[in-house]
Amino acid sequence: MQPVIEHRPVSTPALRVRQVDPTTDPRWAAFVASHPNGLAFHHPAWLATLADTFNFAPVHLACEDEHGALHGVLPLFYRRGLLRGRQLWSLPYTPIAGPLARSRAAVGALVHAAAELAGATAGQRLQIHSELPDLAVNDVPFLRVDWYPNYVIDLPDRSEALRFSKSRRRGIAKAVRAGVRVRDAERVTDVHAWYDLYVQTLRRLGHPPLPLSLFEAAWTHMRSQGLLRLLLAERSAGGRTELLAGAVLLHGSTTVTDQFAADRVDARQYHPSDLILGQAINQAWEAGYRRYDLGSAAPDQTGLQQFKEVWGARARPLFRYFHPPTDWGTRLSSPRSRTRGQARLAAACWRRLPPAATRPLGRWIHRYL
């Protein structure tokens, strides 16, 4: 049995934090499904996906009372990179994770336990990605960095109509007239075809792609549980069917996250992404989801911000928390920092790489840097 860390906040039930295996402890998945802010990224299936892909050591924490009922969870992985050093991270390659809890006391207990674990190894940092505006615990100081905002559509109740803007309706109509059709991926070969588009899209943006093995693992762990869909936009022409765009959708308790979208630049006149988004948002609303998450956009990505806003998304703050509170996190986020300047140079170089080189290099970068 893992060691237990006891916490007894004033006027709250006795709470303790212990390490658990979410893939074998059924309480974890049930807690995420029942929490209004439970995301696919908190689910054991996503944690298994990361573990299978990167072989990071898991240190997942659960906060429970004396009767064994969960009050909160905090997924964490140990990761050591050539540039990032040693980190206890919630979570690598995940935009939002952090503590998911039913009380402030449970958040505090989880964060305190994570800080103790991080501090057990010299030079190790704790990094948490969260929507929570304050993770402060009395004896655990954090540096909070305002990250790129997340763009989220608040879906109306089923008793209200779902409406798109005139420009979005026009884009959807153009796609339909052009013969574009959207379907759910049915087999792993569909994932491979979409991944080619994803690599091309990330190359245009100047970012290294996540490895194909991540999406293969997600397909294996998440699709069978209804947590993942891959929507593909196709068009038949000249006796053959062409893939124009695709998007991976991840399903939480009340939120659908549209995190990995890809398209062909030379097919944008057919508006395949409009058709995918229109269909995905409508289906999320029909299924009773309350939020559709379109992901983040950097301050200088005004075109991307406007695209998300036209769909009705509004910016919501995201935060990065670093313990101990050194200036390392600030350097990462400052627009004029040397780190950001190096990142812009790296992005420019990445766009000039031969396409065949981006896959293995992207896999190496995400695994070791």
Side-chain angles (χ1 to χ4, degrees), residues 194-204 207 209-210 262 350 355 358-359:
W194 164 84
Y195 187 76
D196 288 338
L197 281 187
Y198 168 76
V199 171
Q200 295 169 25
T201 300
L202 269 287
R203 183 172 178 268
R204 291 199 308 269
H207 302 314
L210 288 163
W350 192 266
T358 57
R359 286 195 185 201

Side-chain angles (χ1 to χ4, degrees), residues 120-261:
T121 301
Q124 184 166 254
R125 301 184 182 97
L126 171 64
Q127 181 179 168
I128 295 177
H129 301 174
S130 179
E131 292 180 301
L132 297 176
D134 182 15
L135 287 187
V137 178
N138 288 339
D139 55 346
V140 183
F142 277 100
L143 168 69
R144 191 190 81 172
V145 174
D146 294 348
W147 210 247
Y148 304 153
N150 214 35
Y151 285 80
V152 179
I153 303 170
D154 288 312
L155 300 175
D157 187 82
R158 285 296 309 279
S159 62
E160 305 175 39
L162 177 66
R163 294 184 174 89
F164 296 130
S165 69
K166 184 177 180 180
S167 63
R168 296 307 93 186
R169 294 197 306 272
R170 187 162 53 242
I172 292 170
K174 288 180 179 178
V176 172
R177 286 198 300 271
V180 180
R181 296 292 181 267
V182 173
R183 69 174 178 89
D184 274 273
E186 299 174 349
R187 53 187 66 86
V188 73
T189 53
D190 290 329
V191 177
H192 295 168
W194 164 84
Y195 187 76
D196 288 338
L197 281 187
Y198 168 76
V199 171
Q200 295 169 25
T201 300
L202 269 287
R203 183 172 178 268
R204 291 199 308 269
L205 296 173
H207 302 314
L210 288 163
L212 174 60
S213 56
L214 174 76
F215 301 103
E216 291 174 329
W219 181 263
T220 298
H221 291 295
M222 305 183 75
R223 181 173 178 266
S224 63
Q225 300 188 53
L227 300 170
L228 178 147
R229 296 174 67 198
L230 171 57
L231 296 185
L232 304 173
E234 299 173 331
R235 181 173 181 267
S236 296
R240 63 192 184 96
T241 300
E242 296 180 321
L243 177 60
L244 308 182
V248 175
L249 311 182
L250 303 177
H251 293 250
S253 60
T254 63
T255 300
V256 175
T257 302
D258 187 335
Q259 187 63 37
F260 306 103

Side-chain angles (χ1 to χ4, degrees), residues 272-295:
S273 295
D274 282 339
L275 192 58
I276 287 177
L277 259 179
Q279 180 171 310
I281 294 170
N282 185 73
Q283 290 173 346
W285 170 73
E286 287 184 337
Y289 287 94
R290 302 313 307 269
R291 293 181 292 273
Y292 194 95
D293 186 342
L294 285 173

